[in-house]
Amino acid sequence: MHNKTISYYNKNAKEFAERTVNADMGFCYSKFIALLHNKDYIMDAGCGSGRDSKFFLEQGFNVQAIDASMEMCKFATEYIGIPVKCMRFDEIEFDSQFNGIWANASLLHIEKSGLPDILRKFNRALKFMFFCKVCIYEIKSYKIRLCSDFLVSWKCVKIVRKSYG
C-alpha cells in the first residue's frame, strides 16, 4: 500500500468512518459467517471504521482487526472496544491463527505486483480449510474484473465465486 493511501486515510479518517460505519453489510455477512462457528477467529484485514469487526464481535466471534492507517485504527479501537493493530498487509506474520479472513474492499489498495505475496500471508494466517472473504473490485492484470465477492478456501487452493445479492 502506498504511503499516499495511508496518508489519505489518516487525514480523512473521521469523514470516512462517518460515511461507512452505518452501511448495511448484512447481505455479505450472512454468507461469510455461515462457514464459521461461534467463537471462531476472524482477521478483519483493512478494518477501516471497525464496522465489520463490531458486527462479528456481536455475533460471538473472536476478532483481530488490522489497518494500515493509525487514525483509522484509533477510530476503530474506540468504536469496537478492542485494540486494533496498526499494520500493513505486507507486515502480517500470523501463523494458522484464523478460521476466516474478512478483507472487504481493502485489497484494492495493493499494487498488483504485491498481491500474490499478500495472499500467501493470508494463506499462512489461516487454519486448515477455512475461508477468506475477499472483495476485489478490479485487478486488470489478473483478469479479474468484478463487483462481487469471492469466498476463498485457501488451503484447498480453490476459488469459488459466490453471489451476495
Side-chain angles (χ1 to χ4, degrees):
M1 180 181 295
H2 287 293
N3 287 334
K4 189 167 87 171
T5 302
I6 295 169
S7 293
Y8 171 84
Y9 283 103
N10 280 334
K11 194 177 292 184
N12 298 286
K14 186 176 188 275
E15 293 82 11
F16 178 81
E18 288 172 353
R19 234 181 25 248
T20 61
V21 76
N22 292 315
D24 182 4
M25 298 294 292
F27 65 98
C28 289
Y29 296 148
S30 61
K31 300 289 186 180
F32 181 70
I33 64 175
L35 301 168
L36 302 168
H37 298 94
N38 192 30
K39 301 208 185 291
D40 272 353
Y41 288 81
I42 297 171
M43 177 172 54
D44 186 354
C47 71
S49 66
R51 172 199 63 218
D52 303 332
S53 292
K54 185 173 184 168
F55 172 82
F56 295 134
L57 288 164
E58 290 170 348
Q59 302 307 305
F61 295 102
N62 293 289
V63 176
Q64 175 60 71
I66 68 169
D67 201 279
S69 163
M70 180 58 76
E71 294 304 313
M72 291 307 302
C73 290
K74 288 177 187 175
F75 183 94
T77 294
E78 186 175 322
Y79 181 68
I80 64 179
I82 63 169
V84 173
K85 288 189 181 211
C86 188
M87 65 171 35
R88 296 161 47 125
F89 292 155
D90 59 0
E91 298 171 323
I92 291 173
E93 294 296 332
F94 299 111
D95 190 12
S96 301
Q97 289 181 243
F98 302 102
N99 303 96
I101 298 175
W102 179 266
N104 188 48
S106 53
L107 291 176
L108 60 92
H109 298 298
I110 302 301
E111 291 285 327
K112 63 184 176 189
S113 62
L115 192 58
D117 287 337
I118 301 307
L119 296 179
R120 279 191 281 280
K121 286 180 177 285
F122 280 13
N123 182 37
R124 183 174 175 206
L126 284 167
K127 295 177 181 180
F128 182 70
M129 287 295 292
F130 288 88
F131 296 88
C132 177
K133 187 271 187 190
V134 178
C135 180
I136 302 175
Y137 291 104
E138 183 175 324
I139 300 176
K140 291 178 184 174
S141 66
Y142 287 91
K143 297 185 180 165
I144 297 172
R145 192 176 173 99
L146 53 120
C147 290
S148 62
D149 302 314
F150 282 87
L151 289 177
V152 183
S153 174
W154 294 103
K155 298 297 182 178
C156 293
V157 192
K158 177 182 177 186
I159 298 178
V160 181
R161 184 170 181 180
K162 296 286 185 177
S163 170
Y164 287 93

